[in-house]
Amino acid sequence: MDALSLPNSQQAAPNWTVQTILDLYNMPFMDLMFRAQQTHREYHEPNAVQLSSLLSIKTGGCPEDCSYCPQSSRYDTSVEREKLMPLDEVVQAAKQARAAGAQRFCMGAAWRNPKAHQVEAVAEMIRAVKALGLETCVTLGMLREGQARQLKQAGLDYYNHNLDTSPEFYGQIITTRTYQDRLDTLERVRAAGIHVCCGGIVGLGESRRERAGLIAQLANMKPYPESVPINNLVKVQGTPLADNEDIDPFELVRTIAVARITMPATFVRLSAGREAMDDSLQALCFMAGANSMFYGEKLLTTGNPQLQADQALFHRLDLKPVTQSGTDHAGTQPSESGDTAGKCACAVAAPTSA
Ligand code: SAM
Ligand code: DTB
Ligand code: SF4
């Protein structure tokens, strides 16, 4: 395909070298923030945040050795192995998330890769959650081609599969699947017509250059992911990274800013790690270009801020919800629903019961 026949998004997307991204990271903090805000305002409504709720539908007992993860069977953590959650419990949790104000419901399973009957069971869940009017996202590990198509047919909007870190540092964190395995799954998801949610983690012990290496991988995808979760390591007792040194919080903010500049139309999600952040740090992350977050009191197995705390944060910052996440890469503005536009997110959140 020649350059002229590429869709708009891909023609516009430059190739990023790790050094160019590192140069962004190394900018004076205020200059970096200004540039990120400029980009953010060109592509997004500046006071809107996309709200996703998470549910672990299959917890623990995972054969992989991801050294940050409390669900790996190789580490002695307090997470117990559980069976796949029944459909009615998933629907109940999705109704609660919707009532609390979430727009997207993300279901995570601690699998290396799902088996055929498991994909069928998850497809049922996707259909049921979609029927509630929520956007759907799942993260199930590696997928084969037919499986991605099956999930798409069930109505899946997003598939989350993270690269986690740079190709160079990756081998120090995970040995049971390769970087290429992850890229292959992402290709299959894209080919099936599912939106890609792909990001990584900071605080694994990586260098700034390695953080830049992760962003380069993401930003050079054609097209780049529609959703980019930036997780701050949640240190869980029993995992090999439990005693890692905390990353400088401004380094997290810089990572968000660099993601915003290099992937202007994407939704950058301030993901795991918010429980350990105060409101000021979260506000800086939003200023740097984060416009999505996990909303609800639990991530998969670890905690997330209480709904009341988040609603108070939205109120203090005048943030309002995005209800449709404008998922193409042509630089279109995300749209808001008519009935919530202009109100802060705290105004649409209802009690947690369905
Ligand atoms: N098993 C599937 C997989 O790995 O693709 C899906 C679930 S997995 C828990 C999803 C992502 O959560 C990981 O890729 C990682 O980026 C993030 N994650 C897991 N444990 C984390 C932790 N302790 N702190 C921050 N992020 C974490
Ligand atoms: C993502 O990037 N972060 C979420 C979601 N995708 C699946 C998971 C965070 C997990 C944090 C540790 C836990 O709760 O088990
Ligand atoms: Fe398993 Fe996913 Fe955890 Fe890795 S991150 S151990 S694949 S659940």
Side-chain angles (χ1 to χ4, degrees):
M1 197 191 279
D2 64 81
L4 288 176
S5 61
L6 286 169
N8 280 349
S9 53
Q10 300 198 26
Q11 282 181 40
N15 276 321
W16 294 93
T17 64
V18 175
Q19 187 55 50
T20 313
I21 292 176
L22 200 51
D23 290 345
L24 288 173
Y25 261 103
N26 291 338
M27 282 171 75
F29 186 80
M30 300 306 162
D31 294 344
L32 176 62
M33 290 293 279
F34 181 64
R35 182 154 167 203
Q37 248 309 291
Q38 278 181 314
T39 306
H40 191 64
R41 281 166 184 269
E42 236 178 84
Y43 285 81
H44 300 276
E45 207 289 308
N47 302 302
V49 62
Q50 190 280 329
L51 302 177
S52 293
S53 285
L54 257 181
L55 177 70
S56 180
I57 56 169
K58 160 67 188 84
T59 303
C62 182
E64 303 287 284
D65 70 351
C66 311
S67 45
Y68 47 77
C69 186
Q71 303 200 71
S72 167
S73 60
R74 296 166 192 248
Y75 313 130
D76 187 14
T77 69
S78 60
V79 175
E80 300 287 341
R81 181 193 195 113
E82 291 172 22
K83 290 201 175 110
L84 185 63
M85 198 178 264
L87 180 64
D88 60 332
E89 286 179 30
V90 173
V91 170
Q92 186 59 25
K95 282 182 180 167
Q96 282 184 8
R98 185 184 60 176
Q103 299 123 19
R104 190 176 307 159
F105 193 67
C106 307
M107 296 167 269
W111 289 322
R112 172 177 164 79
N113 54 273
K115 300 186 175 71
H117 71 276
Q118 293 167 332
V119 172
E120 195 32 62
V122 173
E124 276 298 308
M125 294 174 187
I126 293 167
R127 282 189 278 269
V129 172
K130 226 22 214 170
L132 299 175
L134 286 159
E135 290 181 330
T136 53
C137 176
V138 298
T139 177
L140 315 173
M142 295 186 284
L143 289 185
R144 293 197 306 274
E145 209 174 298
Q147 295 181 319
R149 283 200 301 268
Q150 209 180 333
L151 294 170
K152 170 71 183 172
Q153 276 161 14
L156 184 65
D157 296 304
Y158 289 80
Y159 194 84
N160 168 242
H161 197 62
N162 290 340
L163 289 175
D164 281 346
T165 189
S166 72
E168 294 74 21
F169 189 64
Y170 180 87
Q172 294 190 43
I173 302 299
I174 298 135
T175 69
T176 49
R177 73 171 81 157
T178 65
Y179 212 77
Q180 191 57 48
D181 288 333
R182 291 187 185 241
L183 292 169
D184 292 346
T185 289
L186 291 165
E187 273 291 323
R188 287 176 193 130
V189 168
R190 182 60 82 199
I194 302 167
H195 296 311
V196 173
C197 172
C198 180
I201 314 183
V202 298
L204 298 172
E206 76 287 345
S207 63
R208 181 178 274 187
R209 175 171 279 278
E210 287 155 350
R211 286 188 278 279
L214 165 68
I215 301 291
Q217 287 289 324
L218 298 169
N220 286 332
M221 288 180 188
K222 304 263 185 296
Y224 54 74
E226 284 81 5
S227 165
V228 174
I230 303 292
N231 296 279
N232 197 4
L233 177 69
V234 179
K235 293 187 268 183
V236 180
Q237 261 334 298
T239 63
L241 303 186
D243 298 320
N244 263 23
E245 216 172 288
D246 281 337
I247 191 175
D248 176 354
F250 296 129
E251 196 61 19
L252 168 70
V253 180
R254 282 183 194 267
T255 302
I256 289 170
V258 170
R260 167 53 63 228
I261 293 164
T262 55
M263 295 172 275
T266 200
F267 277 73
V268 178
R269 182 174 305 137
L270 175 57
S271 301
R274 282 200 307 115
E275 218 182 15
M277 297 176 202
D278 63 16
D279 281 5
S280 318
L281 176 57
Q282 293 186 63
L284 267 184
C285 293
F286 294 128
M287 282 191 72
N291 58 347
S292 169
M293 61 200 263
F294 284 123
Y295 177 63
E297 284 151 20
K298 210 165 169 200
L299 292 167
L300 291 173
T301 65
T302 65
N304 199 41
Q306 300 289 306
L307 290 180
Q308 289 91 330
D310 276 344
Q311 287 161 14
L313 175 69
F314 302 149
H315 187 68
R316 290 178 83 190
L317 301 179
D318 305 300
L319 290 173
K320 55 189 189 255
V322 169
T323 50
Q324 255 191 7
S325 48
T327 40
D328 69 32
H329 280 295
T332 50
Q333 299 272 343
S335 50
E336 291 163 28
S337 76
D339 58 345
T340 59
K343 292 183 189 163
C344 96
C346 59
V348 294
T352 52
S353 60

